[in-house]
Amino acid sequence: MRAHILISKVHKWVALLIGIQFICWTLGGVIMTWIPIERVRGEHNIAEQPPLLVEAMKLEDLLHKIGNPQVVSLTTRAVGGIPAVVVRDAGGIHGIYALETARS
């Protein structure tokens, strides 16, 4: 008999906690529908990266150093604030390599 009362009390408190969480989750979803989706995604916080200029000789040297893979694309980007080149081959990303560059 005591186990039944204990289980009943535990069930009541667990249901209350889950119910409160469900209500908060639902209210959060309703509020998110009122806010523009760009703001919800945080697109207003994305900073434009200035283009990176890379000398062709540096790219040739880089490809020579890494063994001249069958390159599909080269993409410049800053990784941790350091200018780098992402080298993709037919199998995916071959590697990300730091470069010395001049910003425009």
PDB file of all heavy atoms in Angstrom, residues 2-43:
ATOM      1  N   ARG A   2       1.931   1.232   0.804  1.00  0.00           N
ATOM      2  CA  ARG A   2       2.813   2.401   0.862  1.00  0.00           C
ATOM      3  C   ARG A   2       3.517   2.630  -0.476  1.00  0.00           C
ATOM      4  O   ARG A   2       3.745   3.773  -0.856  1.00  0.00           O
ATOM      5  CB  ARG A   2       3.868   2.214   1.948  1.00  0.00           C
ATOM      6  CG  ARG A   2       3.342   2.471   3.321  1.00  0.00           C
ATOM      7  CD  ARG A   2       4.500   2.525   4.231  1.00  0.00           C
ATOM      8  NE  ARG A   2       4.376   3.732   5.030  1.00  0.00           N
ATOM      9  CZ  ARG A   2       4.947   3.900   6.180  1.00  0.00           C
ATOM     10  NH1 ARG A   2       5.726   2.963   6.670  1.00  0.00           N
ATOM     11  NH2 ARG A   2       4.782   4.998   6.847  1.00  0.00           N
ATOM     12  N   ALA A   3       3.886   1.563  -1.167  1.00  0.00           N
ATOM     13  CA  ALA A   3       4.551   1.686  -2.462  1.00  0.00           C
ATOM     14  C   ALA A   3       3.639   2.389  -3.452  1.00  0.00           C
ATOM     15  O   ALA A   3       4.086   3.220  -4.248  1.00  0.00           O
ATOM     16  CB  ALA A   3       4.961   0.321  -2.980  1.00  0.00           C
ATOM     17  N   HIS A   4       2.356   2.079  -3.381  1.00  0.00           N
ATOM     18  CA  HIS A   4       1.383   2.692  -4.279  1.00  0.00           C
ATOM     19  C   HIS A   4       1.310   4.211  -4.045  1.00  0.00           C
ATOM     20  O   HIS A   4       1.287   4.997  -5.001  1.00  0.00           O
ATOM     21  CB  HIS A   4       0.006   2.044  -4.069  1.00  0.00           C
ATOM     22  CG  HIS A   4      -1.079   2.677  -4.889  1.00  0.00           C
ATOM     23  ND1 HIS A   4      -1.063   2.651  -6.262  1.00  0.00           N
ATOM     24  CD2 HIS A   4      -2.195   3.363  -4.536  1.00  0.00           C
ATOM     25  CE1 HIS A   4      -2.115   3.292  -6.723  1.00  0.00           C
ATOM     26  NE2 HIS A   4      -2.837   3.723  -5.678  1.00  0.00           N
ATOM     27  N   ILE A   5       1.328   4.643  -2.801  1.00  0.00           N
ATOM     28  CA  ILE A   5       1.284   6.073  -2.471  1.00  0.00           C
ATOM     29  C   ILE A   5       2.572   6.754  -2.930  1.00  0.00           C
ATOM     30  O   ILE A   5       2.540   7.844  -3.496  1.00  0.00           O
ATOM     31  CB  ILE A   5       1.046   6.267  -0.952  1.00  0.00           C
ATOM     32  CG1 ILE A   5      -0.358   5.767  -0.584  1.00  0.00           C
ATOM     33  CG2 ILE A   5       1.218   7.719  -0.556  1.00  0.00           C
ATOM     34  CD1 ILE A   5      -0.618   5.710   0.901  1.00  0.00           C
ATOM     35  N   LEU A   6       3.708   6.113  -2.686  1.00  0.00           N
ATOM     36  CA  LEU A   6       5.002   6.664  -3.106  1.00  0.00           C
ATOM     37  C   LEU A   6       5.060   6.818  -4.623  1.00  0.00           C
ATOM     38  O   LEU A   6       5.453   7.863  -5.138  1.00  0.00           O
ATOM     39  CB  LEU A   6       6.150   5.782  -2.608  1.00  0.00           C
ATOM     40  CG  LEU A   6       7.546   6.230  -3.020  1.00  0.00           C
ATOM     41  CD1 LEU A   6       7.872   7.575  -2.390  1.00  0.00           C
ATOM     42  CD2 LEU A   6       8.564   5.189  -2.645  1.00  0.00           C
ATOM     43  N   ILE A   7       4.644   5.780  -5.336  1.00  0.00           N
ATOM     44  CA  ILE A   7       4.652   5.829  -6.800  1.00  0.00           C
ATOM     45  C   ILE A   7       3.714   6.929  -7.292  1.00  0.00           C
ATOM     46  O   ILE A   7       4.030   7.663  -8.236  1.00  0.00           O
ATOM     47  CB  ILE A   7       4.266   4.454  -7.392  1.00  0.00           C
ATOM     48  CG1 ILE A   7       5.391   3.453  -7.127  1.00  0.00           C
ATOM     49  CG2 ILE A   7       3.982   4.552  -8.888  1.00  0.00           C
ATOM     50  CD1 ILE A   7       5.063   2.026  -7.480  1.00  0.00           C
ATOM     51  N   SER A   8       2.577   7.078  -6.640  1.00  0.00           N
ATOM     52  CA  SER A   8       1.620   8.115  -7.008  1.00  0.00           C
ATOM     53  C   SER A   8       2.214   9.509  -6.830  1.00  0.00           C
ATOM     54  O   SER A   8       2.059  10.377  -7.703  1.00  0.00           O
ATOM     55  CB  SER A   8       0.351   7.957  -6.163  1.00  0.00           C
ATOM     56  OG  SER A   8      -0.552   8.994  -6.445  1.00  0.00           O
ATOM     57  N   LYS A   9       2.921   9.749  -5.729  1.00  0.00           N
ATOM     58  CA  LYS A   9       3.529  11.057  -5.482  1.00  0.00           C
ATOM     59  C   LYS A   9       4.658  11.336  -6.476  1.00  0.00           C
ATOM     60  O   LYS A   9       4.770  12.439  -7.008  1.00  0.00           O
ATOM     61  CB  LYS A   9       4.048  11.143  -4.046  1.00  0.00           C
ATOM     62  CG  LYS A   9       2.946  11.305  -3.035  1.00  0.00           C
ATOM     63  CD  LYS A   9       3.506  11.474  -1.653  1.00  0.00           C
ATOM     64  CE  LYS A   9       2.361  11.631  -0.659  1.00  0.00           C
ATOM     65  NZ  LYS A   9       2.835  11.908   0.682  1.00  0.00           N
ATOM     66  N   VAL A  10       5.486  10.335  -6.708  1.00  0.00           N
ATOM     67  CA  VAL A  10       6.585  10.498  -7.665  1.00  0.00           C
ATOM     68  C   VAL A  10       6.013  10.798  -9.050  1.00  0.00           C
ATOM     69  O   VAL A  10       6.490  11.693  -9.757  1.00  0.00           O
ATOM     70  CB  VAL A  10       7.493   9.240  -7.689  1.00  0.00           C
ATOM     71  CG1 VAL A  10       8.448   9.281  -8.872  1.00  0.00           C
ATOM     72  CG2 VAL A  10       8.246   9.104  -6.389  1.00  0.00           C
ATOM     73  N   HIS A  11       4.976  10.067  -9.435  1.00  0.00           N
ATOM     74  CA  HIS A  11       4.342  10.268 -10.736  1.00  0.00           C
ATOM     75  C   HIS A  11       3.806  11.690 -10.861  1.00  0.00           C
ATOM     76  O   HIS A  11       3.962  12.348 -11.899  1.00  0.00           O
ATOM     77  CB  HIS A  11       3.213   9.250 -10.910  1.00  0.00           C
ATOM     78  CG  HIS A  11       2.522   9.349 -12.225  1.00  0.00           C
ATOM     79  ND1 HIS A  11       1.404  10.121 -12.431  1.00  0.00           N
ATOM     80  CD2 HIS A  11       2.804   8.775 -13.425  1.00  0.00           C
ATOM     81  CE1 HIS A  11       1.025  10.025 -13.675  1.00  0.00           C
ATOM     82  NE2 HIS A  11       1.849   9.199 -14.306  1.00  0.00           N
ATOM     83  N   LYS A  12       3.191  12.192  -9.800  1.00  0.00           N
ATOM     84  CA  LYS A  12       2.620  13.541  -9.813  1.00  0.00           C
ATOM     85  C   LYS A  12       3.715  14.590 -10.014  1.00  0.00           C
ATOM     86  O   LYS A  12       3.581  15.502 -10.838  1.00  0.00           O
ATOM     87  CB  LYS A  12       1.878  13.810  -8.500  1.00  0.00           C
ATOM     88  CG  LYS A  12       1.296  15.211  -8.409  1.00  0.00           C
ATOM     89  CD  LYS A  12       0.530  15.418  -7.124  1.00  0.00           C
ATOM     90  CE  LYS A  12       1.500  15.514  -5.965  1.00  0.00           C
ATOM     91  NZ  LYS A  12       0.890  15.927  -4.714  1.00  0.00           N
ATOM     92  N   TRP A  13       4.840  14.477  -9.313  1.00  0.00           N
ATOM     93  CA  TRP A  13       5.912  15.466  -9.407  1.00  0.00           C
ATOM     94  C   TRP A  13       6.650  15.383 -10.744  1.00  0.00           C
ATOM     95  O   TRP A  13       7.005  16.397 -11.330  1.00  0.00           O
ATOM     96  CB  TRP A  13       6.888  15.343  -8.235  1.00  0.00           C
ATOM     97  CG  TRP A  13       6.275  15.864  -6.976  1.00  0.00           C
ATOM     98  CD1 TRP A  13       5.827  15.143  -5.903  1.00  0.00           C
ATOM     99  CD2 TRP A  13       6.009  17.236  -6.663  1.00  0.00           C
ATOM    100  NE1 TRP A  13       5.308  15.971  -4.951  1.00  0.00           N
ATOM    101  CE2 TRP A  13       5.409  17.270  -5.386  1.00  0.00           C
ATOM    102  CE3 TRP A  13       6.220  18.430  -7.334  1.00  0.00           C
ATOM    103  CZ2 TRP A  13       5.015  18.448  -4.776  1.00  0.00           C
ATOM    104  CZ3 TRP A  13       5.827  19.609  -6.722  1.00  0.00           C
ATOM    105  CH2 TRP A  13       5.230  19.616  -5.460  1.00  0.00           C
ATOM    106  N   VAL A  14       6.859  14.168 -11.210  1.00  0.00           N
ATOM    107  CA  VAL A  14       7.508  14.010 -12.524  1.00  0.00           C
ATOM    108  C   VAL A  14       6.611  14.592 -13.613  1.00  0.00           C
ATOM    109  O   VAL A  14       7.084  15.299 -14.508  1.00  0.00           O
ATOM    110  CB  VAL A  14       7.843  12.531 -12.802  1.00  0.00           C
ATOM    111  CG1 VAL A  14       8.263  12.312 -14.248  1.00  0.00           C
ATOM    112  CG2 VAL A  14       8.935  12.046 -11.861  1.00  0.00           C
ATOM    113  N   ALA A  15       5.307  14.326 -13.540  1.00  0.00           N
ATOM    114  CA  ALA A  15       4.374  14.879 -14.522  1.00  0.00           C
ATOM    115  C   ALA A  15       4.355  16.401 -14.457  1.00  0.00           C
ATOM    116  O   ALA A  15       4.288  17.074 -15.493  1.00  0.00           O
ATOM    117  CB  ALA A  15       2.974  14.315 -14.275  1.00  0.00           C
ATOM    118  N   LEU A  16       4.434  16.961 -13.262  1.00  0.00           N
ATOM    119  CA  LEU A  16       4.457  18.415 -13.118  1.00  0.00           C
ATOM    120  C   LEU A  16       5.709  19.005 -13.765  1.00  0.00           C
ATOM    121  O   LEU A  16       5.637  19.984 -14.518  1.00  0.00           O
ATOM    122  CB  LEU A  16       4.393  18.800 -11.639  1.00  0.00           C
ATOM    123  CG  LEU A  16       4.406  20.297 -11.339  1.00  0.00           C
ATOM    124  CD1 LEU A  16       3.154  20.949 -11.909  1.00  0.00           C
ATOM    125  CD2 LEU A  16       4.513  20.539  -9.855  1.00  0.00           C
ATOM    126  N   LEU A  17       6.877  18.406 -13.493  1.00  0.00           N
ATOM    127  CA  LEU A  17       8.126  18.900 -14.082  1.00  0.00           C
ATOM    128  C   LEU A  17       8.113  18.792 -15.601  1.00  0.00           C
ATOM    129  O   LEU A  17       8.501  19.726 -16.310  1.00  0.00           O
ATOM    130  CB  LEU A  17       9.323  18.151 -13.505  1.00  0.00           C
ATOM    131  CG  LEU A  17       9.632  18.431 -12.042  1.00  0.00           C
ATOM    132  CD1 LEU A  17      10.724  17.489 -11.541  1.00  0.00           C
ATOM    133  CD2 LEU A  17      10.025  19.871 -11.835  1.00  0.00           C
ATOM    134  N   ILE A  18       7.658  17.669 -16.111  1.00  0.00           N
ATOM    135  CA  ILE A  18       7.601  17.486 -17.564  1.00  0.00           C
ATOM    136  C   ILE A  18       6.568  18.438 -18.170  1.00  0.00           C
ATOM    137  O   ILE A  18       6.791  19.018 -19.236  1.00  0.00           O
ATOM    138  CB  ILE A  18       7.299  16.018 -17.918  1.00  0.00           C
ATOM    139  CG1 ILE A  18       8.507  15.152 -17.557  1.00  0.00           C
ATOM    140  CG2 ILE A  18       6.955  15.868 -19.400  1.00  0.00           C
ATOM    141  CD1 ILE A  18       8.290  13.670 -17.717  1.00  0.00           C
ATOM    142  N   GLY A  19       5.454  18.633 -17.498  1.00  0.00           N
ATOM    143  CA  GLY A  19       4.429  19.557 -17.980  1.00  0.00           C
ATOM    144  C   GLY A  19       4.940  20.983 -18.059  1.00  0.00           C
ATOM    145  O   GLY A  19       4.681  21.691 -19.034  1.00  0.00           O
ATOM    146  N   ILE A  20       5.678  21.425 -17.030  1.00  0.00           N
ATOM    147  CA  ILE A  20       6.254  22.774 -17.040  1.00  0.00           C
ATOM    148  C   ILE A  20       7.251  22.916 -18.192  1.00  0.00           C
ATOM    149  O   ILE A  20       7.247  23.920 -18.906  1.00  0.00           O
ATOM    150  CB  ILE A  20       6.916  23.101 -15.686  1.00  0.00           C
ATOM    151  CG1 ILE A  20       5.825  23.270 -14.613  1.00  0.00           C
ATOM    152  CG2 ILE A  20       7.773  24.349 -15.780  1.00  0.00           C
ATOM    153  CD1 ILE A  20       6.368  23.363 -13.200  1.00  0.00           C
ATOM    154  N   GLN A  21       8.071  21.892 -18.378  1.00  0.00           N
ATOM    155  CA  GLN A  21       9.044  21.929 -19.478  1.00  0.00           C
ATOM    156  C   GLN A  21       8.317  21.995 -20.821  1.00  0.00           C
ATOM    157  O   GLN A  21       8.700  22.764 -21.716  1.00  0.00           O
ATOM    158  CB  GLN A  21       9.946  20.706 -19.428  1.00  0.00           C
ATOM    159  CG  GLN A  21      10.996  20.701 -20.500  1.00  0.00           C
ATOM    160  CD  GLN A  21      11.895  19.486 -20.425  1.00  0.00           C
ATOM    161  OE1 GLN A  21      11.682  18.588 -19.627  1.00  0.00           O
ATOM    162  NE2 GLN A  21      12.904  19.469 -21.270  1.00  0.00           N
ATOM    163  N   PHE A  22       7.255  21.235 -20.979  1.00  0.00           N
ATOM    164  CA  PHE A  22       6.487  21.236 -22.231  1.00  0.00           C
ATOM    165  C   PHE A  22       5.854  22.600 -22.484  1.00  0.00           C
ATOM    166  O   PHE A  22       5.878  23.103 -23.610  1.00  0.00           O
ATOM    167  CB  PHE A  22       5.418  20.141 -22.187  1.00  0.00           C
ATOM    168  CG  PHE A  22       4.619  20.050 -23.448  1.00  0.00           C
ATOM    169  CD1 PHE A  22       5.165  19.494 -24.595  1.00  0.00           C
ATOM    170  CD2 PHE A  22       3.321  20.533 -23.503  1.00  0.00           C
ATOM    171  CE1 PHE A  22       4.440  19.419 -25.770  1.00  0.00           C
ATOM    172  CE2 PHE A  22       2.590  20.466 -24.674  1.00  0.00           C
ATOM    173  CZ  PHE A  22       3.143  19.906 -25.807  1.00  0.00           C
ATOM    174  N   ILE A  23       5.318  23.217 -21.456  1.00  0.00           N
ATOM    175  CA  ILE A  23       4.709  24.541 -21.603  1.00  0.00           C
ATOM    176  C   ILE A  23       5.766  25.575 -22.006  1.00  0.00           C
ATOM    177  O   ILE A  23       5.543  26.390 -22.902  1.00  0.00           O
ATOM    178  CB  ILE A  23       3.977  24.945 -20.311  1.00  0.00           C
ATOM    179  CG1 ILE A  23       2.713  24.098 -20.151  1.00  0.00           C
ATOM    180  CG2 ILE A  23       3.612  26.430 -20.321  1.00  0.00           C
ATOM    181  CD1 ILE A  23       2.042  24.228 -18.802  1.00  0.00           C
ATOM    182  N   CYS A  24       6.936  25.528 -21.356  1.00  0.00           N
ATOM    183  CA  CYS A  24       8.020  26.465 -21.709  1.00  0.00           C
ATOM    184  C   CYS A  24       8.472  26.249 -23.148  1.00  0.00           C
ATOM    185  O   CYS A  24       8.722  27.208 -23.890  1.00  0.00           O
ATOM    186  CB  CYS A  24       9.189  26.309 -20.744  1.00  0.00           C
ATOM    187  SG  CYS A  24       8.841  26.902 -19.080  1.00  0.00           S
ATOM    188  N   TRP A  25       8.604  25.002 -23.549  1.00  0.00           N
ATOM    189  CA  TRP A  25       9.018  24.658 -24.906  1.00  0.00           C
ATOM    190  C   TRP A  25       8.002  25.195 -25.911  1.00  0.00           C
ATOM    191  O   TRP A  25       8.361  25.791 -26.935  1.00  0.00           O
ATOM    192  CB  TRP A  25       9.160  23.140 -25.002  1.00  0.00           C
ATOM    193  CG  TRP A  25       9.540  22.602 -26.336  1.00  0.00           C
ATOM    194  CD1 TRP A  25      10.600  22.971 -27.115  1.00  0.00           C
ATOM    195  CD2 TRP A  25       8.857  21.573 -27.058  1.00  0.00           C
ATOM    196  NE1 TRP A  25      10.623  22.230 -28.265  1.00  0.00           N
ATOM    197  CE2 TRP A  25       9.563  21.354 -28.252  1.00  0.00           C
ATOM    198  CE3 TRP A  25       7.733  20.801 -26.796  1.00  0.00           C
ATOM    199  CZ2 TRP A  25       9.176  20.421 -29.192  1.00  0.00           C
ATOM    200  CZ3 TRP A  25       7.355  19.855 -27.737  1.00  0.00           C
ATOM    201  CH2 TRP A  25       8.064  19.682 -28.924  1.00  0.00           C
ATOM    202  N   THR A  26       6.706  25.014 -25.631  1.00  0.00           N
ATOM    203  CA  THR A  26       5.655  25.486 -26.528  1.00  0.00           C
ATOM    204  C   THR A  26       5.644  27.009 -26.599  1.00  0.00           C
ATOM    205  O   THR A  26       5.551  27.590 -27.689  1.00  0.00           O
ATOM    206  CB  THR A  26       4.282  24.964 -26.056  1.00  0.00           C
ATOM    207  OG1 THR A  26       4.327  23.531 -26.006  1.00  0.00           O
ATOM    208  CG2 THR A  26       3.183  25.403 -26.996  1.00  0.00           C
ATOM    209  N   LEU A  27       5.753  27.683 -25.454  1.00  0.00           N
ATOM    210  CA  LEU A  27       5.777  29.143 -25.449  1.00  0.00           C
ATOM    211  C   LEU A  27       6.989  29.675 -26.213  1.00  0.00           C
ATOM    212  O   LEU A  27       6.880  30.657 -26.947  1.00  0.00           O
ATOM    213  CB  LEU A  27       5.782  29.677 -24.018  1.00  0.00           C
ATOM    214  CG  LEU A  27       4.460  29.548 -23.260  1.00  0.00           C
ATOM    215  CD1 LEU A  27       4.641  29.987 -21.804  1.00  0.00           C
ATOM    216  CD2 LEU A  27       3.379  30.352 -23.929  1.00  0.00           C
ATOM    217  N   GLY A  28       8.130  29.024 -26.053  1.00  0.00           N
ATOM    218  CA  GLY A  28       9.330  29.420 -26.800  1.00  0.00           C
ATOM    219  C   GLY A  28       9.113  29.293 -28.291  1.00  0.00           C
ATOM    220  O   GLY A  28       9.517  30.169 -29.070  1.00  0.00           O
ATOM    221  N   GLY A  29       8.456  28.222 -28.724  1.00  0.00           N
ATOM    222  CA  GLY A  29       8.158  28.041 -30.141  1.00  0.00           C
ATOM    223  C   GLY A  29       7.213  29.097 -30.670  1.00  0.00           C
ATOM    224  O   GLY A  29       7.393  29.616 -31.774  1.00  0.00           O
ATOM    225  N   VAL A  30       6.198  29.446 -29.883  1.00  0.00           N
ATOM    226  CA  VAL A  30       5.253  30.490 -30.301  1.00  0.00           C
ATOM    227  C   VAL A  30       5.970  31.825 -30.425  1.00  0.00           C
ATOM    228  O   VAL A  30       5.772  32.568 -31.395  1.00  0.00           O
ATOM    229  CB  VAL A  30       4.075  30.582 -29.288  1.00  0.00           C
ATOM    230  CG1 VAL A  30       3.235  31.821 -29.548  1.00  0.00           C
ATOM    231  CG2 VAL A  30       3.214  29.325 -29.365  1.00  0.00           C
ATOM    232  N   ILE A  31       6.829  32.138 -29.456  1.00  0.00           N
ATOM    233  CA  ILE A  31       7.581  33.396 -29.505  1.00  0.00           C
ATOM    234  C   ILE A  31       8.499  33.421 -30.726  1.00  0.00           C
ATOM    235  O   ILE A  31       8.629  34.440 -31.405  1.00  0.00           O
ATOM    236  CB  ILE A  31       8.367  33.611 -28.201  1.00  0.00           C
ATOM    237  CG1 ILE A  31       7.379  33.906 -27.062  1.00  0.00           C
ATOM    238  CG2 ILE A  31       9.382  34.731 -28.346  1.00  0.00           C
ATOM    239  CD1 ILE A  31       7.998  33.878 -25.678  1.00  0.00           C
ATOM    240  N   MET A  32       9.136  32.282 -31.034  1.00  0.00           N
ATOM    241  CA  MET A  32      10.036  32.223 -32.189  1.00  0.00           C
ATOM    242  C   MET A  32       9.288  32.456 -33.503  1.00  0.00           C
ATOM    243  O   MET A  32       9.875  32.922 -34.475  1.00  0.00           O
ATOM    244  CB  MET A  32      10.759  30.874 -32.246  1.00  0.00           C
ATOM    245  CG  MET A  32      11.772  30.682 -31.169  1.00  0.00           C
ATOM    246  SD  MET A  32      13.120  31.849 -31.331  1.00  0.00           S
ATOM    247  CE  MET A  32      14.059  31.465 -29.899  1.00  0.00           C
ATOM    248  N   THR A  33       7.983  32.130 -33.559  1.00  0.00           N
ATOM    249  CA  THR A  33       7.235  32.380 -34.796  1.00  0.00           C
ATOM    250  C   THR A  33       6.958  33.861 -34.996  1.00  0.00           C
ATOM    251  O   THR A  33       6.713  34.292 -36.120  1.00  0.00           O
ATOM    252  CB  THR A  33       5.890  31.618 -34.808  1.00  0.00           C
ATOM    253  OG1 THR A  33       5.075  32.075 -33.727  1.00  0.00           O
ATOM    254  CG2 THR A  33       6.106  30.135 -34.735  1.00  0.00           C
ATOM    255  N   TRP A  34       6.996  34.644 -33.937  1.00  0.00           N
ATOM    256  CA  TRP A  34       6.767  36.087 -34.047  1.00  0.00           C
ATOM    257  C   TRP A  34       8.032  36.844 -34.429  1.00  0.00           C
ATOM    258  O   TRP A  34       7.965  37.961 -34.904  1.00  0.00           O
ATOM    259  CB  TRP A  34       6.221  36.654 -32.733  1.00  0.00           C
ATOM    260  CG  TRP A  34       4.813  36.247 -32.453  1.00  0.00           C
ATOM    261  CD1 TRP A  34       3.843  35.938 -33.364  1.00  0.00           C
ATOM    262  CD2 TRP A  34       4.214  36.109 -31.177  1.00  0.00           C
ATOM    263  NE1 TRP A  34       2.678  35.599 -32.729  1.00  0.00           N
ATOM    264  CE2 TRP A  34       2.871  35.709 -31.382  1.00  0.00           C
ATOM    265  CE3 TRP A  34       4.664  36.279 -29.868  1.00  0.00           C
ATOM    266  CZ2 TRP A  34       1.997  35.484 -30.333  1.00  0.00           C
ATOM    267  CZ3 TRP A  34       3.780  36.053 -28.838  1.00  0.00           C
ATOM    268  CH2 TRP A  34       2.463  35.660 -29.066  1.00  0.00           C
ATOM    269  N   ILE A  35       9.186  36.249 -34.185  1.00  0.00           N
ATOM    270  CA  ILE A  35      10.469  36.898 -34.481  1.00  0.00           C
ATOM    271  C   ILE A  35      10.871  36.527 -35.908  1.00  0.00           C
ATOM    272  O   ILE A  35      10.728  35.363 -36.304  1.00  0.00           O
ATOM    273  CB  ILE A  35      11.547  36.429 -33.474  1.00  0.00           C
ATOM    274  CG1 ILE A  35      11.134  36.800 -32.052  1.00  0.00           C
ATOM    275  CG2 ILE A  35      12.903  37.008 -33.810  1.00  0.00           C
ATOM    276  CD1 ILE A  35      12.029  36.212 -30.982  1.00  0.00           C
ATOM    277  N   PRO A  36      11.375  37.475 -36.697  1.00  0.00           N
ATOM    278  CA  PRO A  36      11.824  37.139 -38.059  1.00  0.00           C
ATOM    279  C   PRO A  36      12.868  36.010 -38.033  1.00  0.00           C
ATOM    280  O   PRO A  36      13.752  35.989 -37.180  1.00  0.00           O
ATOM    281  CB  PRO A  36      12.449  38.439 -38.578  1.00  0.00           C
ATOM    282  CG  PRO A  36      11.840  39.520 -37.740  1.00  0.00           C
ATOM    283  CD  PRO A  36      11.554  38.900 -36.400  1.00  0.00           C
ATOM    284  N   ILE A  37      12.741  35.076 -38.983  1.00  0.00           N
ATOM    285  CA  ILE A  37      13.593  33.876 -38.995  1.00  0.00           C
ATOM    286  C   ILE A  37      15.075  34.218 -39.100  1.00  0.00           C
ATOM    287  O   ILE A  37      15.924  33.516 -38.550  1.00  0.00           O
ATOM    288  CB  ILE A  37      13.153  32.898 -40.117  1.00  0.00           C
ATOM    289  CG1 ILE A  37      13.832  31.540 -39.961  1.00  0.00           C
ATOM    290  CG2 ILE A  37      13.439  33.477 -41.479  1.00  0.00           C
ATOM    291  CD1 ILE A  37      13.429  30.783 -38.733  1.00  0.00           C
ATOM    292  N   GLU A  38      15.424  35.324 -39.780  1.00  0.00           N
ATOM    293  CA  GLU A  38      16.828  35.716 -39.898  1.00  0.00           C
ATOM    294  C   GLU A  38      17.406  36.028 -38.524  1.00  0.00           C
ATOM    295  O   GLU A  38      18.557  35.741 -38.233  1.00  0.00           O
ATOM    296  CB  GLU A  38      16.981  36.927 -40.818  1.00  0.00           C
ATOM    297  CG  GLU A  38      16.627  36.666 -42.263  1.00  0.00           C
ATOM    298  CD  GLU A  38      15.122  36.699 -42.531  1.00  0.00           C
ATOM    299  OE1 GLU A  38      14.362  37.235 -41.683  1.00  0.00           O
ATOM    300  OE2 GLU A  38      14.706  36.161 -43.575  1.00  0.00           O
ATOM    301  N   ARG A  39      16.603  36.650 -37.669  1.00  0.00           N
ATOM    302  CA  ARG A  39      17.055  36.990 -36.315  1.00  0.00           C
ATOM    303  C   ARG A  39      17.166  35.730 -35.451  1.00  0.00           C
ATOM    304  O   ARG A  39      18.076  35.602 -34.655  1.00  0.00           O
ATOM    305  CB  ARG A  39      16.103  37.998 -35.684  1.00  0.00           C
ATOM    306  CG  ARG A  39      16.588  38.522 -34.383  1.00  0.00           C
ATOM    307  CD  ARG A  39      16.211  39.984 -34.222  1.00  0.00           C
ATOM    308  NE  ARG A  39      16.600  40.475 -32.931  1.00  0.00           N
ATOM    309  CZ  ARG A  39      17.756  41.023 -32.659  1.00  0.00           C
ATOM    310  NH1 ARG A  39      18.647  41.156 -33.615  1.00  0.00           N
ATOM    311  NH2 ARG A  39      18.031  41.454 -31.462  1.00  0.00           N
ATOM    312  N   VAL A  40      16.216  34.802 -35.635  1.00  0.00           N
ATOM    313  CA  VAL A  40      16.260  33.545 -34.878  1.00  0.00           C
ATOM    314  C   VAL A  40      17.527  32.772 -35.226  1.00  0.00           C
ATOM    315  O   VAL A  40      18.204  32.222 -34.354  1.00  0.00           O
ATOM    316  CB  VAL A  40      15.001  32.686 -35.170  1.00  0.00           C
ATOM    317  CG1 VAL A  40      15.125  31.305 -34.554  1.00  0.00           C
ATOM    318  CG2 VAL A  40      13.757  33.386 -34.649  1.00  0.00           C
ATOM    319  N   ARG A  41      17.885  32.744 -36.505  1.00  0.00           N
ATOM    320  CA  ARG A  41      19.079  32.024 -36.953  1.00  0.00           C
ATOM    321  C   ARG A  41      20.373  32.753 -36.596  1.00  0.00           C
ATOM    322  O   ARG A  41      21.447  32.174 -36.680  1.00  0.00           O
ATOM    323  CB  ARG A  41      19.041  31.845 -38.461  1.00  0.00           C
ATOM    324  CG  ARG A  41      17.995  30.898 -38.932  1.00  0.00           C
ATOM    325  CD  ARG A  41      18.043  30.797 -40.438  1.00  0.00           C
ATOM    326  NE  ARG A  41      16.981  29.966 -40.938  1.00  0.00           N
ATOM    327  CZ  ARG A  41      16.449  30.085 -42.128  1.00  0.00           C
ATOM    328  NH1 ARG A  41      16.901  31.005 -42.967  1.00  0.00           N
ATOM    329  NH2 ARG A  41      15.483  29.298 -42.512  1.00  0.00           N
ATOM    330  N   GLY A  42      20.270  34.030 -36.246  1.00  0.00           N
ATOM    331  CA  GLY A  42      21.454  34.805 -35.902  1.00  0.00           C
ATOM    332  C   GLY A  42      22.190  35.337 -37.109  1.00  0.00           C
ATOM    333  O   GLY A  42      23.380  35.668 -37.024  1.00  0.00           O
ATOM    334  N   GLU A  43      21.509  35.434 -38.233  1.00  0.00           N
ATOM    335  CA  GLU A  43      22.161  35.899 -39.459  1.00  0.00           C
ATOM    336  C   GLU A  43      22.659  37.335 -39.343  1.00  0.00           C
ATOM    337  O   GLU A  43      23.574  37.729 -40.055  1.00  0.00           O
ATOM    338  CB  GLU A  43      21.214  35.753 -40.652  1.00  0.00           C
ATOM    339  CG  GLU A  43      20.942  34.310 -41.007  1.00  0.00           C
ATOM    340  CD  GLU A  43      19.945  34.139 -42.129  1.00  0.00           C
ATOM    341  OE1 GLU A  43      19.549  35.148 -42.755  1.00  0.00           O
ATOM    342  OE2 GLU A  43      19.564  32.991 -42.382  1.00  0.00           O
TER     343      GLU A  43
END
